[in-house]
Amino acid sequence: MAVATPSSYSITMRLHTSTDYAVVGRVATAIAEQGGIVTAIDIADSRHDRLVVDATCSGFDLNHTDGLVEAVEAIDGVKVHKVSDRTFLLHLGGKIEIKSKVALKTRDDLSMAYTPGVGRVSMAIAKNPEDARRLTIKGNTVAVVTDGSAVLGPGNIGPEAAMPVMEGKAALFKQFADIDARPICLASRDTEEIIRAVEMIAPGFGGINLEDIAAPRCFEIERRLRESPDIPVFHDDQHGTAIVVLAALRNALRVVDKWLEESRIVVSGGGAAGSAIVTLLLSAGAKDVIVYDREGLLSADDTSLSRDKLELAQRTNPRKVRGDLGDGLQGADVFIGVSAPNLLKAEWIRDNMADDAIVFAPANPDPEIDPAEAAKYAKVVASGRSDYPNQINNVPAFPGVFRGLLDARAEDITTEMLIRAADAIAGVVKDEEINPSYIIPSVFHPDVADAVAVAIAGEGKTSSGVTGPIKTGSRATAAPVDETGTLPRVR
């Protein structure tokens, strides 16, 4: 049976029971016997003829929670009156809001915040457009833009269905970096329309965060937008993932006492995240990286590859290894998965990979291999799951990245910035703390966002008062970026 988690599939059952208080114990036992986790049992009302009991518990999926309800309903003297899904309750009315920062209680207030006083501010911005960052929300506002075509987990679900995810992203921006983010869900899959829409809304934002747009369309959209608005454009699915993977790998290599430049790395998945990870690893000094995708191991001498896959192959696989994933893992030090569930076999880690292997399996919702299985043979294991150590997701990266970009009033983001951000995250884990089960700081670690912000902005001070630069204990040093210092264009 899969392991239940305390939140994702959490329900509260309103129960009408007999007046026997021992029924509470029977309810808890029934849930536990079915593999559920009881997080709370409260007697909401006690009458002479019945008890009203609220039982809150968690399962591992919808079928499991349905089974928990059935198990409770089968208890003598218990009737399930109502079942509430706590995740849906949390989303009622949406997760974010807009509030005024100024008091509007008198005519005097209105005359400054609105007409006629606001006209003076508008005219000042008309004369000097750069003042918009200082005198409006632009300087602290990010657009979270999606077309709903590649939402993590559900996939191609459309802009309306993507809204809860974008709201969640906006909430994380506010929580971890005090940035006001706005979900922008576009009803178009046309590359030109999306580019034009973002260009038209850009004056109201200090940065653009592209989110959950399917490959290969996302590559062209990001490339074109980075050439157009005078504000930074960041595709989180690509570069946020790459930053956190590089940070985790820096520390995993510290654990096993290996060097990035000397390690053999296999990346499973040549899409948006995989391409960005490869680009950042190579820029950080990796020499031997192989990419596995639907076509097998990508190699520059494979004439059947598409243009995008061929371009990726030409930058990787220096030994021209061909075959399946197992072949690529021969002698590999590191496996990084951004692909699909259950692709990696435990015996490949045991028989094919080098000693003290590092396995990252962050595919969501189901990883490339069960982390517990991987841990039998790998020295360091990371996944995208919150119920295992070393969770890899984008949250440690993007809030601090945009905090630094906004504070620096940056117009672009470079590869050097991304590497500095990864080193900053890695450096939050101190030498005395690092071990195989702790290579990446928690998203709730108080130092992460500020460390990343300072690293992105370089020398100077963030809005939260933290000064730079950040020093890390990373084993591998960053290789020089390209001569322009800009982010390589990834197809």
Side-chain angles (χ1 to χ4, degrees):
M1 182 177 287
V3 178
T5 59
S7 55
S8 299
Y9 295 96
S10 180
I11 59 172
T12 296
M13 291 180 263
R14 169 60 61 94
L15 311 176
H16 291 172
T17 78
S18 65
T19 55
D20 178 7
Y21 283 90
V23 73
V24 172
R26 293 197 292 273
V27 168
T29 299
I31 293 171
E33 287 177 345
Q34 295 300 311
I37 297 176
V38 178
T39 53
I41 296 184
D42 302 295
I43 297 178
D45 191 18
S46 178
R47 307 179 185 177
H48 72 279
D49 59 339
R50 75 178 185 193
L51 300 178
V52 179
V53 178
D54 288 336
T56 301
C57 59
S58 299
F60 55 81
D61 60 20
L62 291 175
N63 289 333
H64 188 208
T65 55
D66 288 344
L68 299 179
V69 174
E70 291 173 4
V72 170
E73 204 153 29
I75 302 171
D76 286 342
V78 174
K79 176 182 170 106
V80 178
H81 175 65
K82 185 168 62 174
V83 179
S84 299
D85 187 311
R86 294 177 63 220
T87 296
F88 277 81
L89 290 176
L90 181 145
H91 283 79
L92 286 177
K95 301 190 292 290
I96 59 175
E97 63 182 352
I98 296 176
K99 288 184 176 180
S100 175
K101 294 167 63 177
V102 298
L104 298 174
K105 297 179 179 179
T106 67
R107 290 180 180 272
D108 191 49
D109 294 336
L110 288 176
S111 70
M112 290 188 292
Y114 198 51
T115 186
V118 71
R120 294 172 51 216
V121 180
S122 294
M123 290 306 297
I125 294 172
K127 291 179 182 179
N128 184 15
E130 183 59 26
D131 279 349
R133 293 179 185 262
R134 189 168 57 89
L135 296 173
T136 74
I137 62 173
K138 178 183 177 78
N140 195 53
T141 306
V142 169
V144 183
V145 179
T146 189
D147 64 358
S149 60
V151 178
L152 181 63
N156 185 358
I157 57 176
E160 291 89 352
M163 180 66 87
V165 181
M166 302 307 113
E167 283 187 5
K169 196 84 171 188
L172 294 173
F173 268 114
K174 190 65 177 178
Q175 176 68 30
F176 295 112
D178 197 24
I179 292 171
D180 297 312
R182 306 282 185 264
I184 306 294
C185 299
L186 301 175
S188 176
R189 302 295 168 82
D190 182 88
T191 297
E192 297 300 325
E193 287 187 345
I194 293 173
I195 291 171
R196 184 60 183 143
V198 175
E199 288 174 337
M200 287 191 291
I201 67 170
F205 296 93
I208 304 294
N209 185 98
L210 300 177
E211 189 80 16
D212 294 345
I213 300 174
R217 185 168 63 252
C218 61
F219 302 138
E220 176 72 4
I221 291 170
E222 186 205 21
R223 182 186 68 80
R224 295 264 300 281
L225 286 174
R226 291 186 67 246
E227 296 171 350
S228 176
D230 60 350
I231 56 176
V233 177
F234 183 78
H235 187 197
D236 190 43
D237 297 329
Q238 291 186 69
H239 308 304
T241 302
I243 288 170
V244 179
V245 166
L246 177 58
L249 184 56
R250 294 284 210 205
N251 283 344
L253 291 171
R254 288 166 64 190
V255 170
V256 300
D257 197 30
K258 294 182 181 181
W259 295 85
L260 181 63
E261 297 88 344
E262 299 169 359
S263 298
R264 291 186 177 181
I265 302 170
V266 176
V267 176
S268 177
S275 297
I277 289 169
V278 167
T279 296
L280 200 60
L281 289 176
L282 295 174
S283 297
K287 301 279 194 300
D288 193 330
V289 180
I290 298 175
V291 180
Y292 172 79
D293 210 88
R294 293 181 181 87
E295 300 85 348
L297 300 175
L298 304 187
S299 178
D301 57 2
D302 185 351
T303 58
S304 67
L305 294 177
S306 66
R307 184 189 67 173
D308 296 329
K309 297 293 174 62
L310 180 60
E311 190 275 336
L312 190 56
Q314 288 169 342
R315 297 189 288 124
T316 57
N317 199 353
R319 293 176 287 116
K320 302 293 189 296
V321 181
R322 302 283 288 272
D324 61 18
L325 181 57
D327 297 318
L329 288 170
Q330 291 289 344
D333 299 285
V334 180
F335 168 85
I336 299 171
V338 276
S339 47
N342 306 315
L343 281 181
L344 179 62
K345 297 179 181 178
E347 56 264 31
W348 289 344
I349 305 173
R350 181 191 63 202
D351 301 333
N352 296 17
M353 295 186 72
D355 292 341
D356 294 331
I358 296 169
V359 172
F360 291 176
N364 264 312
D366 300 309
E368 286 80 3
I369 185 172
D370 184 289
E373 283 298 304
K376 292 178 180 178
Y377 307 110
K379 180 72 172 181
V380 181
V381 177
S383 72
R385 293 179 54 159
S386 60
D387 52 343
Y388 285 98
N390 300 327
Q391 182 183 20
I392 292 179
N393 63 35
N394 297 354
V395 183
F398 71 83
V401 166
F402 273 98
R403 181 73 276 154
L405 292 171
L406 293 173
D407 288 346
R409 298 190 179 182
E411 296 184 0
D412 199 1
I413 183 166
T414 68
T415 300
E416 185 181 22
M417 288 178 178
L418 302 185
I419 292 173
R420 291 202 307 260
D423 287 346
I425 294 171
V428 170
V429 181
K430 306 306 179 188
D431 289 337
E432 61 271 18
E433 299 173 321
I434 194 167
N435 63 70
S437 296
Y438 185 48
I439 60 169
I440 197 80
S442 163
V443 298
F444 297 104
H445 195 295
D447 297 338
V448 173
D450 283 330
V452 173
V454 173
I456 288 289
E459 294 284 353
K461 193 172 186 178
T462 70
S463 62
S464 56
V466 177
T467 56
I470 298 296
K471 298 183 182 299
T472 75
S474 178
R475 286 295 312 272
T477 56
V481 297
D482 64 22
E483 60 185 13
T484 65
T486 56
L487 183 66
R489 311 300 190 192
V490 183
R491 292 189 180 277

